[in-house]
Amino acid sequence: VIEAADSLIEIAKTRVPANVRFIHSTIETAELEPAYDSIFLVHTLEHLDHPVEALSRIRNWLSPTGRLFVVVPNADAASRQIAVKMGLMETNNSVTAGELAHGHRRTYSLDTLEYDVRQAGLNIESRGGVFFKPFANFQFDLLLKNKVIDEAYLDGCYALGMQYPELTASIYLVCTRG
């Protein structure tokens, strides 16, 4: 695990097996040998100043048959598109004040994510989305708390996301070295 915050490493170490290795670094500065069969970059790319350069570094860490799994929030989630139609956001790919406060630099859609991945010299093996998202997170919280929706509704959103990845909360790519 590459992690820049030593405080998060200490917390994570208490929750994972002892054989998990932590590297106190950033993707931009970590020095790793190309030996990894699977690398997971989950909700990280949108935080980086230079995502294509980071993806290029990660590409070099993959073994010849390795795969990179990239997951990012989706600019085209149904909830974001609704917010644009309501005038709450300028565009689907706007970085909201809340996202900016959490360190987001950009918001990806499938086409922009695929572009950055290809620019880094990676091949796209598969793509998809996770969880159809018709509401903002705070709305989901309220709906669940007030028992307006239930686990079955969430299961339906998950299943619908498999059918319509462009409308999901998160999108993913599975990539190879190319």
Side-chain angles (χ1 to χ4, degrees):
V1 176
I2 296 175
E3 175 54 57
D6 53 355
S7 60
L8 293 179
I9 290 174
E10 292 309 312
I11 293 168
K13 280 183 176 180
T14 67
R15 298 179 181 177
V16 298
N19 65 343
V20 173
R21 185 175 133 214
F22 289 88
I23 300 166
H24 185 210
S25 184
T26 63
I27 292 169
E28 297 89 346
T29 59
E31 296 295 330
L32 302 174
E33 295 298 318
Y36 297 91
D37 293 326
S38 299
I39 297 176
F40 296 85
L41 188 65
V42 179
H43 288 262
T44 303
L45 197 60
E46 67 276 9
H47 295 268
L48 303 179
D49 289 325
H50 305 286
V52 174
E53 290 85 352
L55 288 165
S56 295
R57 288 181 58 82
I58 292 168
R59 179 190 177 278
N60 292 330
W61 299 336
L62 287 170
S63 69
T65 59
R67 286 184 174 77
L68 169 63
F69 301 82
V70 182
V71 183
V72 295
N74 183 12
D76 292 330
S79 59
R80 291 179 73 89
Q81 292 189 54
I82 292 167
V84 169
K85 300 298 184 201
M86 292 172 64
L88 300 174
M89 292 174 54
E90 289 182 27
T91 66
N92 293 358
N93 65 344
S94 296
V95 177
T96 67
E99 292 166 337
L100 194 58
H102 285 101
H104 290 212
R105 305 284 189 261
R106 69 199 39 79
T107 306
Y108 281 101
S109 55
L110 277 167
D111 63 333
T112 57
L113 179 60
E114 288 174 352
Y115 179 81
D116 279 3
V117 162
R118 284 192 306 271
Q119 289 298 112
L122 292 155
N123 287 335
I124 299 167
E125 189 173 85
S126 63
R127 66 199 291 263
V130 181
F131 195 81
F132 174 78
K133 189 178 180 205
F135 304 113
N137 292 347
F138 81 92
Q139 292 169 317
F140 265 115
D141 291 343
L142 286 171
L143 291 166
L144 286 165
K145 179 182 175 187
N146 292 303
K147 301 185 188 310
V148 175
I149 61 174
D150 59 10
E151 201 70 32
Y153 183 87
L154 299 178
D155 290 343
C157 286
Y158 179 79
L160 197 58
M162 303 294 263
Q163 191 171 344
Y164 299 104
E166 65 279 357
L167 298 175
T168 58
S170 297
I171 49 176
Y172 69 85
L173 299 177
V174 179
C175 309
T176 59
R177 283 184 69 136

